């Protein structure tokens, strides 16, 4: 009986040891112990320690490998996407099979954009891996978000027993009734931009010289505060003395600017705006703002705490996007509109005149959308409110944010 139980423990350790089954095996050992065999206690302890150590080692090795891959991927512009590769030693059928076989973004089975990756390791004992997809190997113009549809298609290709294995009986019933599989898939944590623990952030070094800045809210309230230039920033970034700028926050603002440059196909980086990172109080609770006459973009420091900001965005009922890039992209679109005006008419010296121009320009675009039956409410609550205030520039900015971050 003792050796049978030990054999069960060994097999369970190799296969990922479900807790209930492992407990049952130990119970059998304890029965043997109660009959006077003290050796069984030692065997049980050793086997438990071996199983736990093996699980931790495998999982941490997989996580360390993923950290190295992600750190390299982020620095290599030639890597445009990532393929999720199922391990040949994968112990059983689970969510990893979906990650490897479903075409979530129209790039091919198991291929994901760099900022929409399944996490690795997916679960304890996971030995799956990422594979680089180099520019030219896939047409990134075909990228589109079809996560739910791809998951549905994959599930439909499975027999019912397999569906129940990954969704659970309750989840299978809900999915068959039309609910989204993402709320029931076992082990599913969403697809997002992966972060490497190996990532080294630039230190924050500020200039000694302070500059007085004044921010005027849409309601006319003026806040005055002191700023310093961030000497270690990639771009022209200044920070309010009311903000404790951390290296990770500086990395985040640089990441957001780089992503906006890519999305908006910015060619001339010399025209990029001066970025001012300000506190919530400095900006009178605004998340961001762009001043066309000064070519200055204000960004609320709260938007640079990515996880906290992501969580905040999930509480909004109808935003243009729940991507934490949303605010920076919104203001950068305003910047791009202004630079197009400057290229055609010269520098912006009269803010009211420029505002009237940009509102009139975008009114034509909004009218065209409405004429074609488009419901502005679908863009965002903010866009809907701005439409009633005749701020068609804001409506179209929200519309473009929604389209770009879809």
């Amino acid at each position: 009986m003792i050796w049978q139980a030990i054999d069960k423990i060994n097999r369970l350790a190799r296969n990922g040891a479900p807790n209930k089954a492992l407990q049952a095996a130990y119970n059998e050992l304890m029965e043997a112990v109660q009959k006077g065999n003290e050796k069984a206690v030692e065997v049980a302890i050793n086997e438990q320690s071996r199983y736990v150590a093996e699980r931790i080692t495998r999982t941490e090795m997989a996580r360390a490998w993923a950290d190295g891959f992600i750190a390299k991927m982020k620095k290599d512009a030639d890597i445009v996407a990532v393929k999720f590769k199922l391990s040949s030693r994968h112990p059983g059928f689970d969510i990893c099979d979906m990650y490897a076989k479903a075409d979530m973004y129209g790039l091919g089975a198991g291929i994901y954009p760099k900022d929409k990756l399944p996490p690795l390791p997916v679960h304890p004992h996971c030995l799956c891996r990422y594979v680089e997809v180099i520019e030219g190997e896939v047409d990134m113009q075909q990228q589109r978000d079809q996560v739910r549809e791809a998951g549905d298609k994959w599930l439909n290709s499975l027999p019912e027993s397999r569906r129940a294995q990954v969704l659970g009986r309750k989840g299978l019933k809900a999915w068959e009734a039309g609910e989204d599989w993402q709320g029931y898939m076992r082990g599913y944590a969403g697809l997002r931009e992966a972060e490497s623990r190996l990532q080294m952030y630039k230190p924050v070094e500020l200039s000694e010289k302070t500059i007085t800045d004044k921010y005027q809210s849409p309601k006319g309230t003026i806040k005055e505060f002191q700023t310093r230039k961030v000497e270690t920033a990639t771009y022209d970034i200044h920070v309010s003395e009311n903000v404790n700028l951390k290296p990770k926050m500086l990395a985040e603002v640089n990441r957001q600017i780089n992503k906006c440059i890519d999305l908006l196909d910015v060619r001339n980086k010399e025209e990029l705006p001066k970025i001012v990172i300000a506190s919530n109080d400095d900006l009178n609770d605004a998340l961001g703002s762009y001043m066309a006459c000064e070519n200055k973009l204000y960004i609320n420091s709260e938007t640079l705490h990515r996880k906290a900001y992501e969580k905040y965005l999930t509480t909004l009922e109808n935003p243009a996007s729940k991507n934490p890039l949303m605010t920076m992209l919104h203001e950068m679109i305003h910047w791009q509109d202004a630079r197009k005006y400057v290229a055609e008419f010269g520098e912006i010296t009269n803010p009211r005149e420029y505002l009237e121009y940009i509102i009139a320009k975008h009114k034509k675009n909004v009218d065209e959308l409405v004429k074609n039956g488009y419901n502005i409410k679908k863009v965002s609550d903010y866009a809907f409110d701005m439409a009633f205030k005749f701020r068609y520039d804001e409506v179209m900015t929200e519309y473009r944010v929604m389209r770009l971050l879809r």
Side-chain angles (χ1 to χ4, degrees), residues 120-173:
L120 272 185
V122 180
H123 52 74
H125 292 288
C126 181
L127 295 175
C128 297
R129 59 193 176 92
Y130 297 134
V131 177
E132 302 168 352
V133 177
I134 306 300
E135 186 174 11
E137 294 181 347
V138 64
D139 183 4
M140 295 303 293
Q141 296 297 319
Q142 298 299 314
Q143 180 181 331
R144 61 190 181 279
D145 188 333
Q146 54 185 33
V147 173
R148 182 173 180 179
E149 296 86 343
D152 287 338
K153 184 177 180 180
W154 179 74
L155 286 167
N156 279 317
S157 72
L158 304 177
E160 184 176 345
S161 60
R162 288 294 201 193
R163 294 176 194 165
Q165 197 169 339
V166 293
L167 291 173
R169 287 293 173 186
K170 181 180 177 182
L172 176 58
K173 187 175 180 180

Side-chain angles (χ1 to χ4, degrees), residues 12 14 22 65 72 95 146 161 186 228 232 260 267:
L12 289 167
R14 285 195 299 271
L22 190 62
W65 181 89
K72 177 188 174 186
I95 189 174
Q146 54 185 33
S161 60
R186 289 174 171 172
R228 294 177 187 270
T232 47
C260 288
R267 303 296 175 88

Side-chain angles (χ1 to χ4, degrees), residues 184-251:
Y184 298 94
M185 182 68 65
R186 289 174 171 172
Y188 183 70
L191 304 168
R192 64 192 68 185
E193 184 169 3
E195 292 189 13
S196 171
R197 296 176 300 178
L198 301 179
Q199 188 169 354
M200 299 296 291
Y201 299 114
K202 286 184 179 179
V204 176
E205 295 179 8
L206 306 179
S207 66
E208 293 185 6
K209 181 182 177 181
T210 61
I211 302 172
T212 300
D213 203 314
K214 291 181 180 180
Y215 170 75
Q216 183 172 338
S217 72
K219 295 181 179 180
T221 305
I222 296 176
K223 284 290 182 74
E224 186 175 298
F225 51 93
Q226 301 297 310
T227 66
R228 294 177 187 270
K229 183 177 175 63
V230 183
E231 301 287 3
T232 47
T234 305
Y235 302 103
D236 185 17
I237 297 175
H238 299 248
V239 61
S240 165
E241 288 192 332
N242 299 319
V243 173
N244 182 15
L245 186 66
K246 300 291 187 181
K248 191 172 183 179
M249 294 167 66
L250 177 58

Side-chain angles (χ1 to χ4, degrees), residues 63-77:
R63 185 171 285 116
W65 181 89
D67 283 337
F69 180 95
I70 292 163
K72 177 188 174 186
M73 174 197 73
K74 289 190 172 185
K75 293 178 181 178
D76 193 339

Side-chain angles (χ1 to χ4, degrees), residues 20-47:
K20 291 183 180 178
L22 190 62
Q23 185 63 51
Y26 285 146
N27 286 340
E28 291 183 23
L29 278 174
M30 292 309 295
E31 289 177 15
V33 172
Q34 289 173 356
K35 294 178 180 179
N37 192 332
E38 296 181 3
K39 184 67 175 176
V41 175
E42 182 181 352
V43 171
I45 292 172
N46 288 340
E47 289 299 325

